[in-house]
Amino acid sequence: MTRVFSYLDNQNQPFVGVEWQGKRYNFTLAWALYKQISLNNQGPDFQFVQMIIEMDLFHAETFDELFDTLKQYRSISDLLIRGPVQFKAPIERPQKIVCVGRNYREHAAELNNPVPDEPILFAKSPSSMVASGGMIRVPSDIGKVHHEGELAVIIGKSGYQIKASQVSEYIAGYTILNDVTARDLQQKDKQKGLPWFRAKSLDTFCPIGPYVVPANAIADPQNLGIRVTVNDEVRQDGNTRDMITPITELVAYISRYMTLTEGDIIATGTPAGVSTLASGDLIKIEIDEIGTLENNVLAAPPILSKK
Ligand code: ZN
């Protein structure tokens, strides 16, 4: 299993890390050494996962080649990351986060919504992102807030009107996203016929990561279990096989209307079992073959918005 992440070391320096053959390595340093050995010291340095994607190097083979080559020349034990790390969001600056509403039948039903006849698209602001381990800050006057555990697609190549048969060339990898939703605010805006952008885009309402797994390292993204626990109690327990519109069709559909570009994030919808979060809760979203996204909920000062 190869999984890639962004983290801060104890001096608050950003690095890219890779879990490779069961151990975590500092990829930023490993790549600098690899450049000296194999690339005549040419090419970029990598402090952010998104840069690896933009250089079209985000493939399981890149990491195999890197570490296999290094091991021929030197020990790689000095590149090991020891102890826990402080994760950063694995994508720094997505142009956009496109979300899909009601993509699981039972989730549409639990909120008394009809199953849509074509995908419902909405956006989350990139400024809502927070890393695994960070706090979901819930303003005290915002009303009910729900978790939504989701598989997220990371786009690897720019494309417009991508054919479903070619979508796999455009996906860099997969990660975990919590589409935290201010549900009362969303309902209020929906009833007025307004967009629900703000209810989805509060600061810290998009926990993401910690790992991005290269697309070709996942056997079948359409057969991954998604489990969400709140304080170790199971709330959501679904499988990506139950998506109404599968990933390849979703990516093709979105790209009919807008160019998707490197680092863009697509949240593919949530299974049934969304529930209300309270201050102090620990929420964990686990997706097979990818890992676990963990965040605590913290009460925050009121927004004091005018009616
Ligand atoms: Zn959602």
Side-chain angles (χ1 to χ4, degrees):
M1 180 154 69
T2 300
R3 314 193 287 182
V4 188
F5 53 97
S6 280
Y7 70 102
L8 295 173
D9 73 356
N10 16 14
Q11 270 95 46
N12 272 337
Q13 288 294 310
F15 288 102
V16 175
V18 176
E19 191 179 295
W20 185 74
Q21 297 191 350
K23 290 183 177 146
R24 287 172 166 184
Y25 297 95
N26 182 323
F27 173 84
T28 304
L29 296 183
W31 177 262
L33 292 164
Y34 175 79
K35 263 198 341 189
Q36 287 171 15
I37 293 167
S38 293
L39 303 175
N40 222 352
N41 222 3
Q42 300 297 302
D45 292 315
F46 291 120
Q47 280 182 301
F48 306 108
V49 176
Q50 194 167 346
M51 292 173 67
I52 308 173
I53 294 171
E54 284 165 3
M55 296 302 291
D56 194 20
L57 287 167
F58 197 84
H59 311 285
E61 296 78 15
T62 301
F63 305 100
D64 293 341
E65 152 79 12
L66 170 89
F67 289 114
D68 287 338
T69 303
L70 285 182
K71 279 164 70 179
Q72 286 170 25
Y73 289 86
R74 66 195 293 289
S75 160
I76 57 172
S77 59
D78 58 329
L79 300 170
L80 279 170
I81 300 169
R82 292 167 207 283
V85 298
Q86 186 186 341
F87 289 116
K88 293 173 68 229
I91 299 294
E92 293 277 306
R93 291 184 189 89
Q95 251 188 26
K96 53 194 169 294
I97 304 173
V98 182
C99 303
V100 181
R102 299 177 216 161
N103 201 26
Y104 289 78
R105 240 171 220 94
E106 289 172 16
H107 169 63
E110 73 181 343
L111 296 177
N112 298 315
N113 286 313
V115 170
D117 53 10
E118 62 178 326
I120 298 174
L121 303 184
F122 61 93
K124 280 179 103 70
S125 168
S127 54
S128 63
M129 291 195 300
V130 64
S132 187
M135 294 285 184
I136 301 169
R137 297 173 61 85
V138 176
S140 57
D141 58 349
I142 203 77
K144 226 187 318 172
V145 170
H146 281 171
H147 55 81
E148 295 187 358
E150 310 196 6
L151 175 70
V153 174
I154 308 296
I155 296 296
K157 189 167 96 168
S158 197
Y160 180 60
Q161 302 199 328
I162 304 165
K163 291 193 184 79
S165 60
Q166 286 169 351
V167 160
S168 63
E169 297 166 33
Y170 292 83
I171 298 179
Y174 296 93
T175 190
I176 304 171
L177 188 149
N178 189 351
D179 176 19
V180 179
T181 304
R183 191 71 71 198
D184 289 344
L185 190 60
Q186 184 194 32
Q187 289 302 120
K188 194 169 111 183
D189 286 343
K190 265 167 77 178
Q191 276 161 12
K192 290 186 190 166
L194 297 172
W196 60 58
F197 183 54
R198 62 174 174 163
K200 293 284 190 177
S201 295
L202 278 84
D203 283 12
T204 74
F205 274 32
C206 187
I208 183 166
Y211 303 105
V212 183
V213 178
N216 57 350
I218 291 196
D220 181 4
Q222 231 47 88
N223 186 21
L224 299 174
I226 303 182
R227 282 163 301 281
V228 178
T229 61
V230 177
N231 307 327
D232 290 325
E233 180 188 302
V234 178
R235 299 281 173 92
Q236 297 185 270
D237 189 1
N239 190 293
T240 57
R241 77 167 87 89
D242 295 323
M243 285 184 197
I244 294 169
T245 306
I247 294 158
T248 49
E249 284 177 42
L250 275 181
V251 173
Y253 179 86
I254 297 165
S255 77
R256 270 194 230 162
Y257 302 94
M258 62 193 88
T259 298
L260 288 169
T261 195
E262 297 92 343
D264 279 353
I265 298 164
I266 300 172
T268 57
T270 198
V274 300
S275 67
T276 302
L277 294 171
S279 184
D281 283 348
L282 171 62
I283 169 154
K284 294 184 191 175
I285 303 174
E286 185 192 353
I287 301 186
D288 295 342
E289 298 182 49
I290 301 180
T292 305
L293 169 65
E294 296 189 31
N295 299 89
N296 276 102
V297 179
L298 187 70
I303 286 182
L304 300 172
S305 57
K306 295 213 174 75
K307 290 270 159 64

